[in-house]
DNA sequence: CGTGCTGTTGAGGACGATCAATGACGGTGG
DNA sequence: CCACCGTCATTGATCGTCCTCAACAGCACG
């Protein structure tokens, strides 16, 4: 990620040289939440201030000055994590461009807890002031509902993760990778590469790195992941969906998933 | 639960003979979400229609007629569950009086999925029409924010459950019981009895009933649960909190938890 | 050209699942 | 009142998935 477009100005995002992919990702996300592209989208985009690049591994700290704002991821991958009792890192969910990383703080600030937002890769982030959110919700109620939906979608992902987390390692990892693949495709990242280390995935599935590695090898052997690279690259989406018994409807992206083969069992029972 | 107070009328809840404990529970819940008791509370309570008693084990079905409404639990215990691939029941969360069981359907109806609301004990339920929610949110924005908070609180519980679900059985069960205890105390149920079967708890912790039983026995041996009854009865809250390393701040009940001994580690790190 | 992180492999051990059987309790109907 | 039945609780034995420890290889980085 070249830092050429980093601007710390407080001017509006769309007036800046924020990468077009970032703007597109945020717009795609908002549209999927029901924001009217013609009327409400632009006013909201104008609230996003580009903050800058955060290096991989650092916490997306909220400085004292920006305590009353929340973070929008513009480029890269972040995660919502916490330390477990034994000092391990647990990853609740990954964030992709267009995601609001800590919108929960707007709704329940007193709950601000031990969770941390970490940059999993180098990240470009923006912020939105709480007061601006409050103002636009009052002015455009549809935006309020869209933000509510954004948090509900996150809850839906938590639920699915919870469901997934008590399944055997192979299915578990396959399912997680399916989700990441779908969410990346939803914002135009369709190269099939999932830019996470095996350790990242281990922390997100609560598997040991060792067993994670064996599981990845198994997925490669089964033809779901590519064998030609150290990176996590999906070789066969169908295979992965099948292994993970992935039913992506919890992600609220009907159009995208129309192209996917999806299990129907649970919905017909 | 005597059916004497069952009224299927559409008159407002507080004008009915809904048990006072139910009204108190709903009111307590709403107040904890930031509803102004003097101004916004009563208008909201008036929207709740008492529906009737559901027997233990049945699904809290939404009839066609009430498709556009959501369920408020008034008495008893319900759960949000799903069938796993192998036919097992998985419980995501329990519901107590005052909880909105499916408010998510109001926000993201298209996501209405394979999840089911089941009565874990006999339940008294009420409903609120979506149109009434929409109306009151428009009129009293504070109610809208409170409902958003309600869904966020649920998400917070999911997150904690996710965190908890990768710990050893003993801690896991102790933590779950702590949560149920706290949530019951919050609505005035302070007898220390948790009206769940070991099978219910097994389904909520993804443990086998056999191992669940051994864990319960261990908790009894450790003095956390009472040995004098078949029921799950807490003998020592302190012991249970200690074993489960329970930090209840994710529940958003600061006043209640002031009496609890709570771990501070994660918050100071 | 080391230094650190990530990926990879082997061996042993633990936690919890599974199978199977029995006991205890509550409700139902004769 | 008692016999019956279903659900829940309890116990023992075996087995499997995944963790842990330990060591090493490969790649990226300064």
């Amino acid at each position: 990620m070249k830092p050429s477009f980093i601007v710390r100005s407080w001017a509006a995002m769309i007036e800046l040289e924020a990468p077009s992919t970032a703007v597109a990702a945020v717009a795609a996300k908002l549209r999927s939440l029901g924001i009217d592209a013609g009327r409400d989208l632009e006013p909201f985009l104008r609230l996003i201030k580009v903050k800058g690049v955060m290096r991989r591994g650092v916490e997306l700290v909220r400085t004292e000055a920006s305590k009353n704002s929340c973070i929008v991821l513009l480029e890269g991958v972040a995660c919502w994590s916490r330390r477990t009792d034994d000092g391990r890192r647990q990853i609740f969910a990954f964030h992709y461009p267009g995601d609001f990383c800590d919108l929960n703080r707007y709704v329940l600030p007193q709950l601000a807890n031990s969770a941390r937002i970490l940059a999993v890769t180098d990240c470009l982030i923006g912020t939105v002031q709480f007061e601006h959110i409050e103002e636009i919700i009052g002015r455009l109620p549809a935006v309020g509902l869209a933000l509510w939906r954004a948090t509900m979608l996150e809850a839906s992902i938590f639920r699915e993760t919870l469901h997934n987390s008590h399944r055997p390692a192979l299915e578990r990892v396959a399912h997680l990778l399916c989700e990441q693949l779908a969410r990346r495709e939803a914002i135009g990242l369709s190269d099939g590469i999932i830019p996470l280390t095996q350790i990242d995935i281990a922390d997100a599935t609560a598997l040991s790195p060792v067993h994670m590695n064996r599981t990845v090898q198994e997925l490669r052997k089964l033809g779901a992941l590519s064998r030609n690279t150290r990176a996590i690259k999906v070789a066969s989406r169908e295979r992965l969906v099948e292994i993970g018994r992935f039913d992506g409807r919890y992600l609220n992206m009907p159009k995208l998933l129309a192209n996917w083969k999806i299990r129907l069992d649970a919905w017909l029972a």
Side-chain angles (χ1 to χ4, degrees), chain A:
Chain A
M1 184 180 298
K2 301 265 177 62
S4 59
F5 48 73
I6 305 179
V7 189
R8 295 189 175 275
S9 146
W10 289 94
M13 173 182 181
I14 56 176
E15 291 168 357
L16 288 178
E17 316 192 0
S20 61
T21 56
V23 179
V26 179
K29 174 87 180 187
L30 291 172
R31 260 187 275 109
S32 78
L33 295 171
I35 288 270
D36 180 51
R39 210 186 55 221
D40 300 334
L41 185 58
E42 190 183 320
F44 190 89
L45 287 179
R46 288 191 178 278
L47 301 183
I48 302 172
K49 320 296 183 190
V50 178
K51 272 302 222 187
V53 168
M54 309 299 269
R55 301 290 297 187
R56 166 173 188 227
V58 305
E59 185 175 349
L60 304 190
V61 199
R62 301 170 294 278
T63 63
E64 291 309 306
S66 61
K67 205 175 226 169
N68 296 313
S69 62
C70 73
I71 294 170
V72 182
L73 187 58
L74 299 176
E75 276 197 16
V77 184
C79 72
W80 191 346
S81 73
R82 184 198 271 189
R83 294 255 155 233
T84 56
D85 309 315
D86 49 356
R88 255 202 192 87
R89 180 182 63 162
Q90 167 160 30
I91 295 179
F92 294 119
F94 291 104
H95 290 299
Y96 292 100
D99 287 349
F100 305 88
C101 297
D102 53 354
L103 191 53
N104 60 309
R105 288 175 51 247
Y106 172 75
V107 186
L108 276 173
Q110 66 270 33
L111 226 61
N113 54 16
S114 54
R116 306 238 187 282
I117 311 291
L118 302 179
V120 174
T121 69
D122 291 353
C123 287
L124 178 67
I125 65 169
T127 61
V128 182
Q129 297 288 117
F130 285 165
E131 53 189 293
H132 291 160
I133 292 179
E134 199 166 338
E135 186 273 332
I136 201 173
I137 287 179
R139 189 156 49 86
L140 305 171
V143 174
L145 188 55
L147 294 181
W148 191 354
R149 285 203 183 108
T151 60
M152 291 304 289
L153 187 59
E154 208 163 65
S156 176
I157 290 176
F158 287 147
R159 230 160 29 234
E160 188 70 20
T161 305
L162 194 49
H163 177 74
N164 191 40
S165 71
H166 297 295
R167 296 165 64 199
L170 191 70
E171 299 177 37
R172 197 145 117 212
V173 173
H175 188 283
L176 181 90
L177 294 179
C178 283
E179 180 188 306
Q180 311 316 312
L181 193 64
R183 291 174 63 194
R184 291 178 68 80
E185 284 186 16
I187 52 171
L189 303 171
S190 307
D191 55 4
I193 292 176
I194 297 172
L196 306 173
T197 66
Q198 295 184 6
I199 295 176
D200 293 329
I201 305 175
D203 289 344
T205 49
L207 290 171
S208 69
V210 171
H211 201 69
M212 179 72 245
N213 176 265
R214 293 185 170 122
T215 307
V216 167
Q217 288 178 52
E218 182 72 17
L219 285 172
R220 287 189 174 132
K221 205 172 296 172
L222 291 170
L225 295 182
S226 171
R227 323 180 73 143
N228 309 323
T229 168
R230 256 167 78 96
I232 306 293
K233 183 173 161 79
V234 177
S236 163
R237 192 171 67 186
E238 288 71 24
R239 205 91 187 78
L240 205 58
V241 166
E242 184 192 358
I243 295 169
R245 300 165 181 251
F246 179 72
D247 177 346
R249 263 167 291 191
Y250 69 96
L251 288 173
N252 189 38
M253 9 178 114
K255 281 180 216 162
L256 176 71
L257 293 169
N259 300 326
W260 288 48
K261 290 180 183 167
I262 288 185
R263 300 179 57 237
L264 291 175
D265 326 2
W267 301 65
L268 299 176

